[in-house]
Amino acid sequence: MSAYGISLFPKCNNEFKQALILVHQFPKLPVVNFSDHSQLFLDSGRKRSKISTAVNFQPGEKDMSIREKKKQKTKQAILDAAITLFSSKGFDNTSIEELAKFAGIGKGTVYSYFQTKADIIHAFCDYELEQIHMKMMKKINMDAPILEQMLTIYMSEFNHVTRNREFGRIFMRSAVFPDENDVQTNLEIDDKYFQLFFPILERAKKRGELRDEIELLHITAHFYGLYILIVSAWYTGRIKTDEVASSMELLFSQALEGLQPKT
């Protein structure tokens, strides 16, 4: 699972697990154009938003109305303010009123886009999934070795989460130790994550790279746990940025040795 409060062993019946295994693609995703200094496009479930810290998002519709352009601009301002203030003041110490003032809009306008500050974090989670999925579609050979695919996915996730160090710290804290009020939202995000990973692992099983008797959920937990370890080591300075990829490859390789069929 990804860096967002995923429960490693949720209560789900076999029918649910099998249904997830059969899902091979997400719904059609929005068009995103990337530039060097990028701009993050976020999706909070029912609300789509964008931030000016990384990639240039362009809506799929060619003829966007003036009203829609204004709404997108307002969302951008709110999210820009959130990343700046959450990073400098902290999540708990930043109020909606401060977000509004920094964004140059009214407090009520913020609530019309995001009901709570946690909604912004959730939007970041959804965007992360979209980023991973798009990178998979562009770069990953679905028949490539499982190690190669896992490294591509988790390095993409690492780069996304740590793009802004302080915001990433807040994001990871909220993700790994979610507030009890956000449990349902986190479970919904978990389900999307399973939809992404289970088909990849199922194909790896068919290629003989993973043991058939190990549940897909448990295999996903192995990789996620190691990913969290890498991120933690990076934040504490035990691993430098240029060592992340090689460290991740080493840990993933060692884990796979124990997950492979016995010969």
Side-chain angles (χ1 to χ4, degrees), residues 12-13 32-33 46 126 162 183 194 200 202 222 238 244 252 257 262-263:
C12 54
N13 57 34
V32 177
N33 292 332
R46 288 169 293 191
D126 275 350
T162 60
V183 170
F194 294 142
I200 295 174
E202 186 67 22
H222 279 290
R238 291 182 180 276
V244 169
F252 282 9
E257 288 179 9
K262 297 179 181 179
T263 57

Short mmCIF file of all heavy atoms in Angstrom, two decimals, residues 12-13 32-33 46 126 162 183 194 200 202 222 238 244 252 257 262-263:
data_model
loop_
_atom_site.label_atom_id
_atom_site.label_comp_id
_atom_site.label_asym_id
_atom_site.label_seq_id
_atom_site.Cartn_x
_atom_site.Cartn_y
_atom_site.Cartn_z
N CYS A 12 -11.53 -8.25 4.81
CA CYS A 12 -12.24 -8.31 3.53
C CYS A 12 -12.43 -9.78 3.18
O CYS A 12 -11.55 -10.60 3.40
CB CYS A 12 -11.48 -7.57 2.42
SG CYS A 12 -9.79 -8.08 2.22
N ASN A 13 -13.59 -10.11 2.66
CA ASN A 13 -13.88 -11.50 2.35
C ASN A 13 -13.23 -11.91 1.04
O ASN A 13 -12.70 -11.11 0.29
CB ASN A 13 -15.39 -11.75 2.31
CG ASN A 13 -16.07 -10.85 1.30
OD1 ASN A 13 -15.50 -10.52 0.26
ND2 ASN A 13 -17.30 -10.45 1.60
N VAL A 32 -2.76 15.02 -18.24
CA VAL A 32 -1.82 15.84 -17.50
C VAL A 32 -0.56 16.04 -18.30
O VAL A 32 0.02 15.09 -18.79
CB VAL A 32 -1.43 15.15 -16.16
CG1 VAL A 32 -0.41 15.99 -15.42
CG2 VAL A 32 -2.67 14.93 -15.31
N ASN A 33 -0.17 17.28 -18.49
CA ASN A 33 1.07 17.59 -19.19
C ASN A 33 2.11 17.99 -18.16
O ASN A 33 1.89 18.87 -17.34
CB ASN A 33 0.86 18.75 -20.17
CG ASN A 33 -0.04 18.32 -21.30
OD1 ASN A 33 -0.07 17.16 -21.65
ND2 ASN A 33 -0.76 19.27 -21.86
N ARG A 46 -14.49 13.71 -5.03
CA ARG A 46 -15.55 14.41 -5.74
C ARG A 46 -15.09 15.75 -6.25
O ARG A 46 -15.79 16.41 -7.00
CB ARG A 46 -16.75 14.60 -4.80
CG ARG A 46 -17.50 13.31 -4.54
CD ARG A 46 -18.48 13.47 -3.42
NE ARG A 46 -17.81 13.69 -2.15
CZ ARG A 46 -18.44 13.65 -0.98
NH1 ARG A 46 -19.70 13.40 -0.93
NH2 ARG A 46 -17.77 13.86 0.14
N ASP A 126 -4.95 10.74 -3.65
CA ASP A 126 -5.56 10.35 -4.91
C ASP A 126 -4.67 10.72 -6.09
O ASP A 126 -4.55 9.99 -7.06
CB ASP A 126 -6.93 11.03 -5.06
CG ASP A 126 -8.04 10.24 -4.38
OD1 ASP A 126 -7.77 9.10 -3.98
OD2 ASP A 126 -9.15 10.76 -4.26
N THR A 162 8.20 13.12 -1.42
CA THR A 162 9.29 13.91 -0.84
C THR A 162 9.62 15.15 -1.66
O THR A 162 10.62 15.82 -1.38
CB THR A 162 10.56 13.04 -0.70
OG1 THR A 162 10.96 12.55 -1.99
CG2 THR A 162 10.29 11.86 0.22
N VAL A 183 -10.93 7.27 8.74
CA VAL A 183 -10.78 5.84 8.47
C VAL A 183 -11.49 5.42 7.19
O VAL A 183 -10.92 4.73 6.34
CB VAL A 183 -11.29 5.00 9.66
CG1 VAL A 183 -11.35 3.52 9.26
CG2 VAL A 183 -10.38 5.18 10.87
N PHE A 194 -5.27 -1.37 -4.04
CA PHE A 194 -5.33 -2.79 -4.35
C PHE A 194 -5.64 -3.02 -5.82
O PHE A 194 -5.12 -3.94 -6.45
CB PHE A 194 -6.40 -3.48 -3.49
CG PHE A 194 -6.08 -3.49 -2.02
CD1 PHE A 194 -7.09 -3.32 -1.09
CD2 PHE A 194 -4.78 -3.65 -1.56
CE1 PHE A 194 -6.81 -3.31 0.27
CE2 PHE A 194 -4.48 -3.65 -0.21
CZ PHE A 194 -5.51 -3.49 0.72
N ILE A 200 -0.88 -6.74 -11.03
CA ILE A 200 0.57 -6.86 -11.27
C ILE A 200 1.11 -8.10 -10.57
O ILE A 200 1.88 -8.88 -11.15
CB ILE A 200 1.30 -5.61 -10.73
CG1 ILE A 200 0.88 -4.37 -11.52
CG2 ILE A 200 2.82 -5.80 -10.81
CD1 ILE A 200 1.44 -3.07 -10.97
N GLU A 202 -0.62 -10.71 -9.57
CA GLU A 202 -1.24 -11.91 -10.15
C GLU A 202 -0.48 -12.36 -11.39
O GLU A 202 -0.23 -13.55 -11.60
CB GLU A 202 -2.70 -11.63 -10.49
CG GLU A 202 -3.48 -12.84 -10.97
CD GLU A 202 -3.66 -13.89 -9.89
OE1 GLU A 202 -3.59 -13.55 -8.69
OE2 GLU A 202 -3.87 -15.06 -10.25
N HIS A 222 4.42 -6.71 2.21
CA HIS A 222 5.87 -6.83 2.24
C HIS A 222 6.53 -5.61 1.60
O HIS A 222 7.42 -4.98 2.18
CB HIS A 222 6.32 -8.10 1.50
CG HIS A 222 6.22 -9.35 2.30
ND1 HIS A 222 7.05 -9.64 3.37
CD2 HIS A 222 5.39 -10.42 2.18
CE1 HIS A 222 6.73 -10.81 3.88
NE2 HIS A 222 5.72 -11.31 3.18
N ARG A 238 19.62 8.63 7.41
CA ARG A 238 20.40 7.39 7.31
C ARG A 238 20.66 7.02 5.85
O ARG A 238 21.64 6.34 5.55
CB ARG A 238 19.67 6.25 8.02
CG ARG A 238 19.62 6.40 9.53
CD ARG A 238 18.93 5.22 10.19
NE ARG A 238 18.88 5.37 11.64
CZ ARG A 238 19.86 5.03 12.46
NH1 ARG A 238 20.98 4.52 11.96
NH2 ARG A 238 19.73 5.20 13.76
N VAL A 244 18.71 6.12 -2.34
CA VAL A 244 17.37 5.56 -2.15
C VAL A 244 17.09 4.42 -3.13
O VAL A 244 16.64 3.33 -2.74
CB VAL A 244 16.30 6.65 -2.30
CG1 VAL A 244 14.90 6.02 -2.36
CG2 VAL A 244 16.38 7.63 -1.13
N PHE A 252 14.10 -4.95 -1.70
CA PHE A 252 13.07 -5.63 -2.48
C PHE A 252 13.59 -6.97 -3.00
O PHE A 252 12.87 -7.97 -3.02
CB PHE A 252 12.63 -4.76 -3.66
CG PHE A 252 11.67 -3.65 -3.28
CD1 PHE A 252 11.41 -3.35 -1.95
CD2 PHE A 252 11.03 -2.91 -4.26
CE1 PHE A 252 10.53 -2.34 -1.60
CE2 PHE A 252 10.14 -1.89 -3.93
CZ PHE A 252 9.90 -1.61 -2.60
N GLU A 257 13.39 -13.01 -2.69
CA GLU A 257 14.02 -14.32 -2.56
C GLU A 257 13.18 -15.24 -1.68
O GLU A 257 13.09 -16.44 -1.90
CB GLU A 257 15.43 -14.17 -1.98
CG GLU A 257 16.43 -13.57 -2.96
CD GLU A 257 17.79 -13.41 -2.34
OE1 GLU A 257 18.01 -13.92 -1.21
OE2 GLU A 257 18.67 -12.79 -2.98
N LYS A 262 9.83 -22.33 -4.27
CA LYS A 262 10.99 -23.14 -3.92
C LYS A 262 11.31 -24.10 -5.06
O LYS A 262 10.43 -24.69 -5.67
CB LYS A 262 10.68 -23.95 -2.65
CG LYS A 262 10.43 -23.07 -1.42
CD LYS A 262 10.12 -23.92 -0.21
CE LYS A 262 9.85 -23.02 1.02
NZ LYS A 262 9.51 -23.82 2.22
N THR A 263 12.59 -24.21 -5.36
CA THR A 263 13.00 -25.09 -6.47
C THR A 263 13.60 -26.36 -5.94
O THR A 263 14.03 -26.45 -4.79
CB THR A 263 14.03 -24.35 -7.34
OG1 THR A 263 15.14 -23.94 -6.52
CG2 THR A 263 13.41 -23.14 -8.00
#
